Amino acid sequence: MALFRFFLTWWGLIILGALDASLFVFMPFGTDAVVIYMCARDRKLFWLYPLLTTAGSIVGAAVTYQIGAKIGDDGLARFVSKGRLERLRQRMKDIGAVTMGLSALLPPPFPMTAFILTSGALKVPMARFLLVFATARLFRFGTEALLARRFGTSLLQILESKPVQRVAIALVLIAVVGTGVTIMRVWRSSTVQSRR
């Protein structure tokens, strides 16, 4: 329970944002829910929480981008399935590199991490990519903050209700299992690659 409370702090939001954009942590809607909750709970600082979460997201995306740049195009197959990888490459050709950063706007199950890795592996200019990524994240979290500020009391009643808390626990369990699966897949693929 103390861990959950930690994520409801300023530092917790930064770390949560970084984890959300990282390669290893699977967290569907977790970051969005925390931003909404924090903004609804403390409406005077509603403007600050999207900034903190976006800052963390930039750090996580930069690390993931660097991993993609290091493994290169050939190494992507270790982290992204073959079919998805071909679709990502095609989208890069169709929509352009900068648009890849807009993946930060889309909710799960959109494969944001795969897009970040692919952008790094295909040498999309990092500064431009992170600028677009940061703008998209700030827009997403800022919109959630404005809605939470507007509907704060109602949102808090909903978020603190028993059914929603049960759903939150289920999502945490899914996140833990998903993170474990992701780490195992990366570990296995790196083991297989090192044997070759």
Side-chain angles (χ1 to χ4, degrees), residues 143-160:
T143 302
E144 292 170 352
L146 287 170
L147 290 171
R149 182 175 184 247
R150 171 69 179 90
F151 301 106
T153 306
S154 303
L155 279 172
L156 281 177
Q157 288 173 351
I158 293 168
L159 292 172
E160 292 174 348

PDB file of all heavy atoms in Angstrom, residues 143-160:
ATOM      1  N   THR A 143      -5.137  17.579 -21.000  1.00  0.00           N
ATOM      2  CA  THR A 143      -6.579  17.426 -21.231  1.00  0.00           C
ATOM      3  C   THR A 143      -7.223  16.667 -20.068  1.00  0.00           C
ATOM      4  O   THR A 143      -8.285  17.057 -19.569  1.00  0.00           O
ATOM      5  CB  THR A 143      -6.831  16.683 -22.559  1.00  0.00           C
ATOM      6  OG1 THR A 143      -6.218  17.434 -23.618  1.00  0.00           O
ATOM      7  CG2 THR A 143      -8.309  16.516 -22.826  1.00  0.00           C
ATOM      8  N   GLU A 144      -6.558  15.603 -19.626  1.00  0.00           N
ATOM      9  CA  GLU A 144      -7.077  14.846 -18.477  1.00  0.00           C
ATOM     10  C   GLU A 144      -7.130  15.717 -17.229  1.00  0.00           C
ATOM     11  O   GLU A 144      -8.100  15.658 -16.461  1.00  0.00           O
ATOM     12  CB  GLU A 144      -6.187  13.622 -18.218  1.00  0.00           C
ATOM     13  CG  GLU A 144      -6.270  12.591 -19.310  1.00  0.00           C
ATOM     14  CD  GLU A 144      -5.223  11.499 -19.190  1.00  0.00           C
ATOM     15  OE1 GLU A 144      -4.316  11.611 -18.335  1.00  0.00           O
ATOM     16  OE2 GLU A 144      -5.318  10.525 -19.957  1.00  0.00           O
ATOM     17  N   ALA A 145      -6.113  16.560 -17.045  1.00  0.00           N
ATOM     18  CA  ALA A 145      -6.068  17.440 -15.875  1.00  0.00           C
ATOM     19  C   ALA A 145      -7.210  18.457 -15.892  1.00  0.00           C
ATOM     20  O   ALA A 145      -7.845  18.713 -14.861  1.00  0.00           O
ATOM     21  CB  ALA A 145      -4.723  18.158 -15.808  1.00  0.00           C
ATOM     22  N   LEU A 146      -7.462  19.029 -17.062  1.00  0.00           N
ATOM     23  CA  LEU A 146      -8.564  19.993 -17.175  1.00  0.00           C
ATOM     24  C   LEU A 146      -9.908  19.345 -16.882  1.00  0.00           C
ATOM     25  O   LEU A 146     -10.756  19.918 -16.189  1.00  0.00           O
ATOM     26  CB  LEU A 146      -8.571  20.629 -18.570  1.00  0.00           C
ATOM     27  CG  LEU A 146      -7.464  21.639 -18.844  1.00  0.00           C
ATOM     28  CD1 LEU A 146      -7.423  22.005 -20.330  1.00  0.00           C
ATOM     29  CD2 LEU A 146      -7.648  22.881 -17.983  1.00  0.00           C
ATOM     30  N   LEU A 147     -10.106  18.142 -17.398  1.00  0.00           N
ATOM     31  CA  LEU A 147     -11.355  17.428 -17.129  1.00  0.00           C
ATOM     32  C   LEU A 147     -11.472  17.066 -15.648  1.00  0.00           C
ATOM     33  O   LEU A 147     -12.553  17.175 -15.049  1.00  0.00           O
ATOM     34  CB  LEU A 147     -11.439  16.164 -17.993  1.00  0.00           C
ATOM     35  CG  LEU A 147     -11.634  16.412 -19.492  1.00  0.00           C
ATOM     36  CD1 LEU A 147     -11.472  15.124 -20.276  1.00  0.00           C
ATOM     37  CD2 LEU A 147     -12.994  17.041 -19.752  1.00  0.00           C
ATOM     38  N   ALA A 148     -10.355  16.653 -15.050  1.00  0.00           N
ATOM     39  CA  ALA A 148     -10.367  16.308 -13.626  1.00  0.00           C
ATOM     40  C   ALA A 148     -10.644  17.534 -12.768  1.00  0.00           C
ATOM     41  O   ALA A 148     -11.353  17.453 -11.768  1.00  0.00           O
ATOM     42  CB  ALA A 148      -9.033  15.680 -13.225  1.00  0.00           C
ATOM     43  N   ARG A 149     -10.104  18.667 -13.171  1.00  0.00           N
ATOM     44  CA  ARG A 149     -10.366  19.906 -12.429  1.00  0.00           C
ATOM     45  C   ARG A 149     -11.841  20.288 -12.518  1.00  0.00           C
ATOM     46  O   ARG A 149     -12.464  20.696 -11.552  1.00  0.00           O
ATOM     47  CB  ARG A 149      -9.504  21.036 -12.983  1.00  0.00           C
ATOM     48  CG  ARG A 149      -9.692  22.331 -12.239  1.00  0.00           C
ATOM     49  CD  ARG A 149      -8.715  23.375 -12.751  1.00  0.00           C
ATOM     50  NE  ARG A 149      -8.841  24.592 -11.959  1.00  0.00           N
ATOM     51  CZ  ARG A 149      -9.306  25.737 -12.433  1.00  0.00           C
ATOM     52  NH1 ARG A 149      -9.680  25.838 -13.692  1.00  0.00           N
ATOM     53  NH2 ARG A 149      -9.390  26.790 -11.658  1.00  0.00           N
ATOM     54  N   ARG A 150     -12.384  20.129 -13.703  1.00  0.00           N
ATOM     55  CA  ARG A 150     -13.793  20.509 -13.929  1.00  0.00           C
ATOM     56  C   ARG A 150     -14.746  19.587 -13.194  1.00  0.00           C
ATOM     57  O   ARG A 150     -15.728  20.029 -12.605  1.00  0.00           O
ATOM     58  CB  ARG A 150     -14.069  20.488 -15.441  1.00  0.00           C
ATOM     59  CG  ARG A 150     -15.518  20.650 -15.840  1.00  0.00           C
ATOM     60  CD  ARG A 150     -16.026  22.040 -15.558  1.00  0.00           C
ATOM     61  NE  ARG A 150     -17.395  22.210 -15.961  1.00  0.00           N
ATOM     62  CZ  ARG A 150     -18.457  21.976 -15.188  1.00  0.00           C
ATOM     63  NH1 ARG A 150     -18.304  21.542 -13.956  1.00  0.00           N
ATOM     64  NH2 ARG A 150     -19.669  22.177 -15.649  1.00  0.00           N
ATOM     65  N   PHE A 151     -14.480  18.281 -13.235  1.00  0.00           N
ATOM     66  CA  PHE A 151     -15.400  17.294 -12.652  1.00  0.00           C
ATOM     67  C   PHE A 151     -14.823  16.631 -11.409  1.00  0.00           C
ATOM     68  O   PHE A 151     -15.143  15.483 -11.099  1.00  0.00           O
ATOM     69  CB  PHE A 151     -15.733  16.221 -13.702  1.00  0.00           C
ATOM     70  CG  PHE A 151     -16.357  16.777 -14.944  1.00  0.00           C
ATOM     71  CD1 PHE A 151     -15.629  16.869 -16.127  1.00  0.00           C
ATOM     72  CD2 PHE A 151     -17.664  17.233 -14.940  1.00  0.00           C
ATOM     73  CE1 PHE A 151     -16.196  17.387 -17.284  1.00  0.00           C
ATOM     74  CE2 PHE A 151     -18.243  17.756 -16.095  1.00  0.00           C
ATOM     75  CZ  PHE A 151     -17.507  17.844 -17.268  1.00  0.00           C
ATOM     76  N   GLY A 152     -13.970  17.348 -10.689  1.00  0.00           N
ATOM     77  CA  GLY A 152     -13.216  16.784  -9.578  1.00  0.00           C
ATOM     78  C   GLY A 152     -14.014  16.038  -8.533  1.00  0.00           C
ATOM     79  O   GLY A 152     -13.711  14.881  -8.214  1.00  0.00           O
ATOM     80  N   THR A 153     -15.039  16.650  -7.980  1.00  0.00           N
ATOM     81  CA  THR A 153     -15.806  16.014  -6.909  1.00  0.00           C
ATOM     82  C   THR A 153     -16.471  14.737  -7.387  1.00  0.00           C
ATOM     83  O   THR A 153     -16.388  13.697  -6.723  1.00  0.00           O
ATOM     84  CB  THR A 153     -16.879  16.988  -6.359  1.00  0.00           C
ATOM     85  OG1 THR A 153     -16.233  18.207  -5.979  1.00  0.00           O
ATOM     86  CG2 THR A 153     -17.591  16.398  -5.177  1.00  0.00           C
ATOM     87  N   SER A 154     -17.103  14.799  -8.525  1.00  0.00           N
ATOM     88  CA  SER A 154     -17.754  13.607  -9.075  1.00  0.00           C
ATOM     89  C   SER A 154     -16.739  12.518  -9.378  1.00  0.00           C
ATOM     90  O   SER A 154     -16.968  11.340  -9.100  1.00  0.00           O
ATOM     91  CB  SER A 154     -18.504  13.953 -10.361  1.00  0.00           C
ATOM     92  OG  SER A 154     -19.436  14.967 -10.128  1.00  0.00           O
ATOM     93  N   LEU A 155     -15.593  12.909  -9.952  1.00  0.00           N
ATOM     94  CA  LEU A 155     -14.555  11.934 -10.276  1.00  0.00           C
ATOM     95  C   LEU A 155     -14.002  11.260  -9.024  1.00  0.00           C
ATOM     96  O   LEU A 155     -13.776  10.050  -9.009  1.00  0.00           O
ATOM     97  CB  LEU A 155     -13.404  12.597 -11.038  1.00  0.00           C
ATOM     98  CG  LEU A 155     -13.621  12.802 -12.521  1.00  0.00           C
ATOM     99  CD1 LEU A 155     -12.496  13.638 -13.115  1.00  0.00           C
ATOM    100  CD2 LEU A 155     -13.701  11.466 -13.236  1.00  0.00           C
ATOM    101  N   LEU A 156     -13.781  12.039  -7.980  1.00  0.00           N
ATOM    102  CA  LEU A 156     -13.267  11.459  -6.733  1.00  0.00           C
ATOM    103  C   LEU A 156     -14.245  10.441  -6.158  1.00  0.00           C
ATOM    104  O   LEU A 156     -13.835   9.387  -5.665  1.00  0.00           O
ATOM    105  CB  LEU A 156     -12.975  12.551  -5.701  1.00  0.00           C
ATOM    106  CG  LEU A 156     -11.664  13.306  -5.903  1.00  0.00           C
ATOM    107  CD1 LEU A 156     -11.523  14.404  -4.859  1.00  0.00           C
ATOM    108  CD2 LEU A 156     -10.477  12.373  -5.845  1.00  0.00           C
ATOM    109  N   GLN A 157     -15.525  10.766  -6.200  1.00  0.00           N
ATOM    110  CA  GLN A 157     -16.527   9.814  -5.699  1.00  0.00           C
ATOM    111  C   GLN A 157     -16.476   8.515  -6.502  1.00  0.00           C
ATOM    112  O   GLN A 157     -16.560   7.421  -5.937  1.00  0.00           O
ATOM    113  CB  GLN A 157     -17.928  10.424  -5.777  1.00  0.00           C
ATOM    114  CG  GLN A 157     -18.157  11.514  -4.748  1.00  0.00           C
ATOM    115  CD  GLN A 157     -19.493  12.211  -4.953  1.00  0.00           C
ATOM    116  OE1 GLN A 157     -20.185  11.995  -5.949  1.00  0.00           O
ATOM    117  NE2 GLN A 157     -19.857  13.062  -4.008  1.00  0.00           N
ATOM    118  N   ILE A 158     -16.317   8.646  -7.805  1.00  0.00           N
ATOM    119  CA  ILE A 158     -16.242   7.447  -8.647  1.00  0.00           C
ATOM    120  C   ILE A 158     -14.942   6.688  -8.390  1.00  0.00           C
ATOM    121  O   ILE A 158     -14.949   5.469  -8.174  1.00  0.00           O
ATOM    122  CB  ILE A 158     -16.354   7.831 -10.146  1.00  0.00           C
ATOM    123  CG1 ILE A 158     -17.755   8.375 -10.435  1.00  0.00           C
ATOM    124  CG2 ILE A 158     -16.028   6.646 -11.038  1.00  0.00           C
ATOM    125  CD1 ILE A 158     -17.890   9.038 -11.787  1.00  0.00           C
ATOM    126  N   LEU A 159     -13.807   7.414  -8.388  1.00  0.00           N
ATOM    127  CA  LEU A 159     -12.504   6.761  -8.229  1.00  0.00           C
ATOM    128  C   LEU A 159     -12.316   6.113  -6.859  1.00  0.00           C
ATOM    129  O   LEU A 159     -11.572   5.152  -6.723  1.00  0.00           O
ATOM    130  CB  LEU A 159     -11.375   7.766  -8.485  1.00  0.00           C
ATOM    131  CG  LEU A 159     -11.246   8.260  -9.927  1.00  0.00           C
ATOM    132  CD1 LEU A 159     -10.219   9.385 -10.023  1.00  0.00           C
ATOM    133  CD2 LEU A 159     -10.872   7.123 -10.858  1.00  0.00           C
ATOM    134  N   GLU A 160     -13.002   6.658  -5.850  1.00  0.00           N
ATOM    135  CA  GLU A 160     -12.852   6.105  -4.505  1.00  0.00           C
ATOM    136  C   GLU A 160     -13.935   5.078  -4.165  1.00  0.00           C
ATOM    137  O   GLU A 160     -13.975   4.567  -3.051  1.00  0.00           O
ATOM    138  CB  GLU A 160     -12.835   7.240  -3.480  1.00  0.00           C
ATOM    139  CG  GLU A 160     -11.575   8.097  -3.608  1.00  0.00           C
ATOM    140  CD  GLU A 160     -11.571   9.323  -2.701  1.00  0.00           C
ATOM    141  OE1 GLU A 160     -12.645   9.652  -2.137  1.00  0.00           O
ATOM    142  OE2 GLU A 160     -10.508   9.947  -2.578  1.00  0.00           O
TER     143      GLU A 160
END
